[in-house]
Amino acid sequence: MPSEVALLESRTLRADHLGRVDVLEKVKALQLLPDGLHVTTEGVAQYFAVHKQAVHSVVKRHREELTANGMTLFSGDDLRLDDVAKTATSSDHARGSYPQGRSHLRVFTRRTVLNIAMLLRDSEVARCVRTYLLDTEETTRTVIANDPRHDGLELRVTRLESSMAQIGPALQELGPVLGRMSARLDSLDHRMAAMDHRMEAMDRRLDAVDRRVASVDRRLDATNRVVGAMSVRLMDLTEDVADIQRRLPRPPHPRRKRRKQ
């Protein structure tokens, strides 16, 4: 059986035990967020009865390993849009705290909390989790070894447990991913709806412009008809004046007076 020190030092040994998340609840109740899947940094510190700085130190030293096992950091727009982040924020409000100044939020899955239990040295709760984990493993192996019915199945059962340990956390971690995708799709739907409203408003404005242009065209046609009628009338008046002039008698030419001689 691997020792507790070996568990603290070997990432490979820790990976072999990450499927036993049930050990956490057997040692101490874990305060989860309302989604039932995640824990905040404050919740992890409360579970292990340590200051938050101890959790930050473990995260700093083993960031890559913890991220691979379910630790997630939210910042920027994710704090406002992601369902897990919004759940954590609402939970903070319920406890009476005010997270408005928070620039980022780190959450952990059960798998990540168990990972921290195998890394956190100065915590009696973490030590109990490691001890329970190793004792349970040794008891299980002893029972299997003494039972002849399991002689040919041990290897297959081990492989099956390893596969299930990987599938379970993967399914748990898939939920937040789907939640983020759903939130982004909802945001895209809102943007498309706003664009549709703008296009409808643009269509209404174009229809109004078309109606105004048609009205101007009608007025121009009426003006052209009036101008045409006036031209015809002027031509008629010109002919009438010419006819009158032809009919009038010509005035007599005045005779010149002869000069007196």
Side-chain angles (χ1 to χ4, degrees):
M1 180 182 72
S3 64
E4 183 180 346
V5 176
L7 199 60
L8 288 167
E9 299 296 335
S10 174
R11 180 174 176 176
T12 302
L13 287 177
R14 291 193 293 271
D16 292 339
H17 294 81
L18 284 175
R20 296 295 312 281
V21 293
D22 58 296
V23 172
L24 296 172
E25 296 292 342
K26 292 180 179 178
V27 173
K28 184 181 177 181
L30 182 62
Q31 187 66 36
L32 297 170
L33 290 173
D35 65 354
L37 298 174
H38 296 89
V39 190
T40 61
T41 303
E42 293 81 0
V44 175
Q46 181 180 1
Y47 178 80
F48 291 112
V50 296
H51 193 272
K52 286 194 301 183
Q53 189 58 43
V55 180
H56 291 320
S57 298
V58 173
V59 170
K60 185 176 181 180
R61 293 195 304 270
H62 303 277
R63 187 184 307 274
E64 189 273 332
E65 178 181 349
L66 295 174
T67 301
N69 288 318
M71 183 181 71
T72 305
L73 179 66
F74 298 105
S75 61
D77 291 339
D78 288 337
L79 283 172
R80 181 172 51 86
L81 299 177
D82 191 272
D83 290 339
V84 177
K86 290 191 291 186
T87 300
T89 302
S90 62
S91 179
D92 287 340
H93 281 299
R95 291 195 300 268
S97 59
Y98 298 90
Q100 287 87 346
R102 176 178 282 171
S103 61
H104 64 273
L105 172 68
R106 183 175 283 109
V107 295
F108 307 82
T109 61
R110 287 186 180 90
R111 184 183 179 91
T112 325
V113 176
L114 181 60
N115 199 163
I116 294 176
M118 292 185 280
L119 292 168
L120 193 59
R121 297 176 182 270
D122 300 327
S123 169
E124 187 61 33
V125 177
R127 191 172 295 112
C128 290
V129 171
R130 292 193 294 271
T131 301
Y132 193 95
L133 190 66
L134 296 174
D135 289 346
T136 303
E137 179 188 18
E138 181 62 22
T139 302
T140 302
R141 289 184 177 180
T142 302
V143 171
I144 292 176
N146 294 333
D147 192 341
R149 293 176 301 175
H150 296 86
D151 289 344
L153 299 177
E154 181 177 358
L155 182 59
R156 281 181 287 177
V157 170
T158 302
R159 291 176 179 174
L160 181 60
E161 289 179 347
S162 177
S163 299
M164 294 302 295
Q166 295 176 1
I167 292 174
L171 292 176
Q172 290 180 355
E173 295 165 7
L174 185 61
V177 174
L178 293 176
R180 289 194 292 271
M181 291 178 62
S182 177
R184 291 175 181 175
L185 289 174
D186 290 340
S187 176
L188 183 60
D189 289 339
H190 292 320
R191 293 179 183 177
M192 293 298 294
M195 185 173 292
D196 289 339
H197 291 317
R198 292 176 183 175
M199 293 297 294
E200 290 175 359
M202 185 67 71
D203 289 339
R204 289 194 294 270
R205 292 179 181 177
L206 289 175
D207 291 339
V209 171
D210 290 339
R211 288 194 294 272
R212 291 179 182 178
V213 170
S215 176
V216 171
D217 289 339
R218 288 193 297 271
R219 291 178 182 178
L220 287 175
D221 290 339
T223 301
N224 290 333
R225 289 194 296 270
V226 171
V227 170
M230 291 177 66
S231 298
V232 172
R233 184 58 180 166
L234 287 174
M235 292 176 63
D236 293 341
L237 288 174
T238 302
E239 292 178 356
D240 291 342
V241 170
D243 185 59
I244 291 172
Q245 288 178 347
R246 286 193 301 269
R247 293 181 180 183
L248 287 175
R250 294 181 180 180
H253 294 286
R255 296 180 179 179
R256 295 181 180 179
K257 296 179 179 182
R258 295 180 179 179
R259 292 181 181 180
K260 293 181 178 181
Q261 297 188 4

